[in-house]
Amino acid sequence: MFSTKRALAAVAVVTGAALALAGCAGTSEPASSFDPNEKVTLNFTWWGNDDRAARYDALIAAFNEEYPNITINGQFTDFPSYWEKRQTEAAGGGLPDVWQFSDSYLRQYGEPGYVLDLATVADYIDFDTFDEALLGTGQLNGTQYSLPTGYSAWANFVNDDLIAANDLTAPEGGTSFEDFTAWMKSVTDATGGKVYGGTDVTQRIQTFELVLRADGKNLYTEDGKLGFTEDELKAFWESGAAARDGITVPQNKLEEITPKSGFGGNLTASETSWSNFLGGYLADSGASSISLIAPPTAKQGSKDLYRQAGLQMAISADTEHPEAAAIFLDYVVNSEKAGEIFGTTLGFPASSSKLAGAVLEGADKQVADYLDSVADRIGDAPPVPVVGYGALEQKFWDLGKALGLGAITVDDAVKQFFDEANVVLQG
């Protein structure tokens, strides 16, 4: 991990220049070595909730004990508002010095040069604590633009309290989609709709991704194109028709409790999502026990799961303090203190040094055990997401909800998605 002694000896070689409004790549120029006595202020921002904010506040306080000369101005907002603000800042050259990043936006911010090449501040960051696959989640065309805070895998959450209270049989992990739909039907039928078996899994692009990966494909290609056809998307959404017909929780009921999910609102006995959502689901549902099991698969024995390291940290290319920004980024992704404070809430710790500080007990240990349980199903990470992937993911979800409301046909949903994709990918 980065040390104060190392900071005194290190000399950074470049810093990103300010970017033009058009978004052209930044140039580099010589930078002076880091002065540990210079008073520096960094702007740092993230998306999340009050719990995440409290953890970051604690981490910043711990960081300032070691680096009292580096002041961190922290701000946070919800996920959609976060990226709207970043787009505005990028156009005006005012991105934060350090910011919580996502691999979904790697092309969008990396290709035009909005984020710093971390190799230019390599003396201040320990990369050896990450394995190559996890480092790759923050790389584009061989350049390291960001580092992951942790990783997750797609999982199926089961509310043990609802299972016990309604004398139900818990589902098995890793079944076929057909068998899982049959289990959801048994729950809905047994409770008379008091508790539904689950939410329509075809609403989420991640489920479609599992189906594609089981067949050796991905959502997108290495050159930034969609990796599937209209017919494949049509078949996928049509496969959810039976579940939407009285088996899964009706979409209108979900609209009534938003922003909680059906699972968080105790309307469903199961829900699929990323493994690091366990803490949030426990808080939302009030359940005393939630199990994590493997999600359904389209092909037994396939490597359809992967370690998703979407939550990352990046530095603005036009920061005036690249060395100090790198020191803080290293602290967030590598320090044992970060592991102690965050546990698995930013994903299972991606670096060995951060993991060393994490106390894996309770929900954190449960997430760790789940990741171990699906290790044989983990395949290679998918290609870097296409530019605009975040918008396409939301469009997919919105269309899935519209299908659940009966407001649109599958054919129309497919057309609307590809129309949107054509605009986004050509933009």
Side-chain angles (χ1 to χ4, degrees):
M1 194 177 74
F2 180 85
S3 66
T4 303
K5 180 178 179 181
R6 187 173 168 190
L8 293 172
V11 177
V13 294
V14 300
T15 182
L19 298 173
L21 292 177
C24 60
T27 58
S28 60
E29 57 187 30
S32 59
S33 60
F34 175 67
D35 179 357
N37 297 313
E38 180 185 2
K39 298 292 184 181
V40 171
T41 297
L42 300 176
N43 290 321
F44 170 55
T45 189
W46 67 91
W47 70 85
N49 55 17
D50 290 339
D51 175 72
R52 182 173 291 179
R55 294 174 192 264
Y56 270 127
D57 285 344
L59 187 67
I60 290 169
F63 174 78
N64 282 144
E65 290 182 8
E66 188 169 351
Y67 300 98
N69 61 305
I70 304 176
T71 299
I72 307 295
N73 286 334
Q75 296 181 353
F76 78 99
T77 185
D78 59 60
F79 189 79
S81 299
Y82 182 88
W83 290 105
E84 290 174 5
K85 189 168 185 179
R86 300 294 84 77
Q87 289 176 5
T88 301
E89 290 169 343
L95 284 165
D97 297 283
V98 183
W99 43 305
Q100 194 170 275
F101 194 62
S102 169
D103 66 341
S104 296
Y105 293 83
L106 186 55
R107 289 185 188 273
Q108 184 171 335
Y109 288 88
E111 287 181 341
Y114 290 127
V115 284
L116 187 70
D117 176 358
L118 295 183
T120 65
V121 286
D123 286 329
Y124 302 92
I125 301 173
D126 190 349
F127 299 97
D128 293 336
T129 57
F130 300 86
D131 68 29
E132 288 299 321
L134 288 173
L135 280 177
T137 62
Q139 292 175 2
L140 182 63
N141 299 325
T143 299
Q144 192 80 48
Y145 288 111
S146 60
L147 286 172
T149 63
Y151 64 90
S152 304
W154 200 246
N156 195 0
F157 296 82
V158 180
N159 188 319
D160 299 326
D161 292 3
L162 291 180
I163 296 294
N166 292 280
D167 196 25
L168 302 168
T169 300
E172 295 182 17
T175 64
S176 67
F177 282 97
E178 292 78 12
D179 286 348
F180 181 61
T181 298
W183 176 82
M184 288 195 293
K185 185 177 188 303
S186 72
V187 172
T188 304
D189 289 349
T191 65
K194 177 184 174 183
V195 176
Y196 291 88
T199 304
D200 175 19
V201 296
T202 66
Q203 284 187 356
R204 303 298 299 274
I205 200 169
Q206 287 82 7
T207 308
F208 187 37
E209 184 174 38
L210 290 186
V211 173
L212 291 172
R213 285 175 59 85
D215 200 30
K217 302 177 182 179
N218 280 296
L219 287 173
Y220 29 79
T221 64
E222 292 286 357
D223 59 351
K225 307 295 183 183
L226 291 182
F228 56 91
T229 66
E230 292 186 24
D231 286 342
E232 287 172 320
L233 179 54
K234 178 179 178 180
F236 174 72
W237 269 330
E238 286 179 340
S239 72
R244 290 191 292 269
D245 189 18
I247 294 176
T248 55
V249 59
Q251 186 60 38
N252 65 321
K253 288 183 177 291
L254 295 177
E255 299 294 326
E256 292 172 359
I257 64 169
T258 188
K260 277 191 178 181
S261 68
F263 189 75
N266 290 308
L267 295 180
T268 69
S270 73
E271 185 158 289
T272 56
S273 192
W274 297 111
S275 55
N276 65 307
F277 275 46
L278 178 59
Y281 279 145
L282 285 166
D284 284 348
S285 67
S288 63
S289 176
I290 291 175
S291 293
L292 279 80
I293 62 174
T297 182
K299 185 179 294 184
Q300 293 294 329
S302 64
K303 300 282 190 179
D304 52 350
L305 296 178
Y306 62 93
R307 292 190 297 176
Q308 194 263 6
L311 203 157
Q312 310 242 337
M313 288 290 158
I315 297 172
S316 170
D318 61 358
T319 178
E320 295 180 359
H321 307 287
E323 302 91 348
I327 292 169
F328 180 64
L329 180 146
D330 183 80
Y331 196 83
V332 174
V333 300
N334 269 325
S335 71
E336 291 189 13
K337 195 66 177 180
E340 175 189 333
I341 291 172
F342 282 98
T344 64
T345 60
L346 295 180
F348 189 82
S351 81
S352 57
S353 53
K354 182 180 176 182
L355 177 59
V359 179
L360 299 180
E361 58 186 16
D364 290 333
K365 186 177 187 305
Q366 197 176 346
V367 171
D369 289 345
Y370 169 72
L371 293 171
D372 284 342
S373 75
V374 296
D376 290 344
R377 195 170 151 185
I378 299 291
D380 294 335
V384 174
V386 296
V387 173
Y389 173 68
L392 293 178
E393 178 185 6
Q394 187 62 50
K395 182 68 173 180
F396 194 102
W397 200 354
D398 291 342
L399 290 169
K401 294 174 184 178
L403 287 170
L405 291 170
I408 193 173
T409 66
V410 168
D411 285 340
D412 285 342
V414 171
K415 182 180 185 305
Q416 286 191 33
F417 182 83
F418 272 81
D419 286 347
E420 178 81 4
N422 287 335
V423 171
V424 169
L425 297 180
Q426 291 174 8

